[in-house]
Amino acid sequence: MANVAVIGTQWGDEGKGKIVDWLSAQADIIVRFQGGHNAGHTLVVDGQVFKLSLLPSGILRTGKLAVIGNGVVLDPWALAEEIDAVSDRGVKISPENLLVAENTPLILSVHRDLDRIREANAGDARIGTTGRGIGPAYEDKVGRRAVRVADLADTITLESRLRRLLAHHNPLRQGLGADPVDPDSLMAALRDVAPRVLPFAGPAWKVLGKRFRAGDRILFEGAQGSHLDIDYGTYPYVTSSNTLAGAAATGAGLGPAAVGFVLGIVKTYTTRVGEGPFPSELHDGSGHHLATVGRERGTVTGRNRRCGWFDAVLVRQSCVTSGVNGIALTKLDVLDGMKEVKICVGYELDGEFIDDLPVASNRQARVNPVLETLEGWTESTAGARRWADLPAPAIKYIRRIEELIDCPVALLSTSPEREDVICVTNPFSSR
């Protein structure tokens, strides 16, 4: 089985964009299978920085098919803007290299409004959403009142969908002190944007099924991270979709057997954006070093990321829940120059050692990290492309991570540049 699924194993921002871009050289098709334009995948190609939120990272390579799967919630205006921005930089995008699943739910202005109103009214109970309407759009999908891509081509269906949608949203808006949405204005906005989206729409499941049977290599690209998963994340401080590898099948329209090798992206330390528990978070000079050297600022939100030591407990759980076969370790160079580095190997809760994060929020808030200290290194690892280029303490640190999470390193990224990767096991040729 030659296909590969790439997922984040922490709270997102692990460096999935670069790894997907690197792997896409070997793939025929790259599929985004969940999330919305709250994703922020940064790629550096020949010194140029690209920041993608909706377009699959493989769009930057010629001769590849990029697919936005039905597990995504799609803001059509955001998609049009991103296509324009990437096209202006010389990347050709057409129905030949971009396919949008016709059963993908849309994010509308009502979803963005509701997201922001709720967060503004939540006070201390806010969960730190991006305010882009992702959560409310998923709610409408489950509530069976979503407008989907295919509806843009059918006026009768679109009108019916909007009536049902607004029958829910307008009373809700009234209760929150917002004005009702005019259905004619929303219809006009959708008719206006439809020509930007419909040329790319099609039965993605059918295309992928045919290409899979023909032996094409498929790369499934996840967004966010395992501990933002709606079921297995630090609820309620989570995203609104399933971010685990199992979502690749339903979010693309292929069976589970098509997924193949699961590659977990793991940052050599831990970061988080927004609210929620963070046992290994740092508020000292080490945390400042990670934030500054790692340039830890949200690609989408612009918010500073919270930084902390590598949490082996969280990553070990991710390896189990997604069936991770190997990890891609990123940002090793950020640790260069630190006299010592630490790893969270467990938690202390009410005087007891535990080796998993409790589910209950109150218990999560009370855990303290149990840290193991390792020797740091002064040599630079930036740009290394061979194990022999790495200092011994860095290799020891990597081996300790493998041991603690019970999963081997397949790839090691040593800078943001596309080709600065040490390949231990090629996921596409591992089986």
Side-chain angles (χ1 to χ4, degrees):
M1 192 67 66
N3 300 332
V4 177
V6 172
I7 58 108
T9 63
Q10 294 160 306
W11 280 298
D13 308 309
E14 301 96 347
K16 294 183 292 296
K18 175 196 169 168
I19 299 300
V20 170
D21 174 61
W22 188 84
L23 286 168
S24 66
Q26 305 171 62
D28 300 297
I29 305 170
I30 301 89
V31 186
R32 265 288 305 275
F33 62 84
Q34 50 78 219
H37 61 308
N38 53 345
H41 294 174
T42 302
L43 300 83
V44 180
V45 182
D46 297 329
Q48 287 195 76
V49 179
F50 292 85
K51 297 182 179 182
L52 305 178
S53 292
L54 272 172
L55 293 171
S57 298
I59 198 72
L60 300 183
R61 294 202 183 258
T62 59
K64 314 294 181 180
L65 175 63
V67 179
I68 297 176
N70 59 274
V72 173
V73 283
L74 179 72
D75 185 319
W77 297 276
L79 177 63
E81 289 177 6
E82 192 166 314
I83 289 174
D84 288 343
V86 173
S87 298
D88 288 345
R89 298 181 65 183
V91 179
K92 294 183 179 180
I93 299 178
S94 73
E96 297 298 315
N97 67 344
L98 177 63
L99 171 64
V100 178
E102 60 190 0
N103 54 334
T104 302
L106 298 181
I107 298 175
L108 309 180
S109 57
V110 293
H111 299 124
R112 295 191 295 271
D113 292 345
L114 183 58
D115 204 352
R116 293 163 184 164
I117 292 169
R118 281 174 171 170
E119 281 289 274
N121 291 341
D124 292 340
R126 65 186 182 277
I127 59 175
T129 76
T130 59
R132 298 193 167 205
I134 282 85
Y138 274 117
E139 289 177 43
D140 282 346
K141 174 182 178 178
V142 175
R144 293 165 290 185
R145 52 181 173 264
V147 175
R148 303 197 293 181
V149 169
D151 300 334
L152 297 176
D154 185 337
T155 300
I156 294 175
T157 300
L158 183 58
E159 289 177 345
S160 175
R161 291 275 192 269
L162 286 179
R163 283 197 299 271
R164 180 172 173 80
L165 181 79
L166 294 181
H168 170 80
H169 277 271
N170 276 339
L172 184 58
R173 291 170 67 91
Q174 183 179 10
L176 292 169
D179 294 333
V181 173
D182 175 41
D184 293 335
S185 296
L186 185 52
M187 173 66 85
L190 286 170
R191 283 176 174 164
D192 183 60
V193 79
R196 299 299 312 276
V197 178
L198 287 175
F200 304 102
W205 67 270
K206 187 175 181 179
V207 173
L208 289 172
K210 182 177 180 180
R211 298 282 294 267
F212 173 59
R213 291 190 295 274
D216 282 0
R217 287 181 168 185
I218 303 173
L219 179 59
F220 300 93
E221 179 182 11
Q224 290 85 48
S226 298
H227 292 281
L228 292 175
D229 183 88
I230 188 67
D231 288 309
Y232 288 96
T234 48
Y235 191 90
Y237 304 101
V238 294
T239 194
S240 302
S241 61
N242 286 113
T243 60
L244 306 183
T250 53
L254 289 172
V259 173
F261 190 99
V262 178
L263 181 68
I265 314 303
V266 184
K267 194 179 285 185
T268 53
Y269 50 100
T270 309
T271 62
R272 178 166 200 166
V273 173
E275 311 298 323
F278 189 166
S280 67
E281 185 171 10
L282 291 166
H283 302 282
D284 58 7
S286 295
H288 178 72
H289 172 95
L290 297 175
T292 303
V293 178
R295 300 177 182 178
E296 295 298 348
R297 193 171 180 84
T299 302
V300 170
T301 63
R303 292 179 290 184
N304 291 328
R305 296 178 185 136
R306 301 154 63 189
C307 296
W309 295 120
F310 182 86
D311 191 327
V313 180
L314 294 181
V315 176
R316 184 169 61 243
Q317 177 179 326
S318 300
C319 289
V320 173
T321 54
S322 277
V324 174
N325 300 107
I327 65 169
L329 201 58
T330 68
K331 287 200 166 184
L332 179 67
D333 54 305
V334 175
L335 302 182
D336 293 352
M338 301 188 79
K339 293 183 178 180
E340 61 182 26
V341 289
K342 298 183 181 182
I343 298 176
C344 176
V345 298
Y347 306 126
E348 181 273 325
L349 176 61
D350 300 335
E352 178 185 356
F353 178 85
I354 58 175
D355 61 0
D356 61 88
L357 188 64
V359 172
S361 296
N362 184 49
R363 288 170 60 83
Q364 287 179 353
R366 299 205 312 275
V367 301
N368 293 305
V370 176
L371 300 173
E372 180 179 299
T373 302
L374 287 83
E375 178 187 359
W377 54 92
T378 56
E379 303 95 322
S380 173
T381 63
R385 298 188 184 181
R386 303 179 305 157
W387 280 107
D389 296 332
L390 300 177
I395 294 175
K396 184 177 180 180
Y397 179 72
I398 294 166
R399 296 306 185 201
R400 184 57 176 150
I401 286 176
E402 290 179 313
E403 183 179 36
L404 287 168
I405 67 174
D406 194 25
C407 191
V409 169
L411 302 173
L412 179 65
S413 171
T414 57
S415 91
E417 288 290 340
R418 173 182 270 178
E419 300 303 329
D420 286 343
V421 174
I422 298 173
C423 181
V424 181
T425 301
N426 188 333
F428 272 118
S429 59
S430 63
R431 295 187 178 185

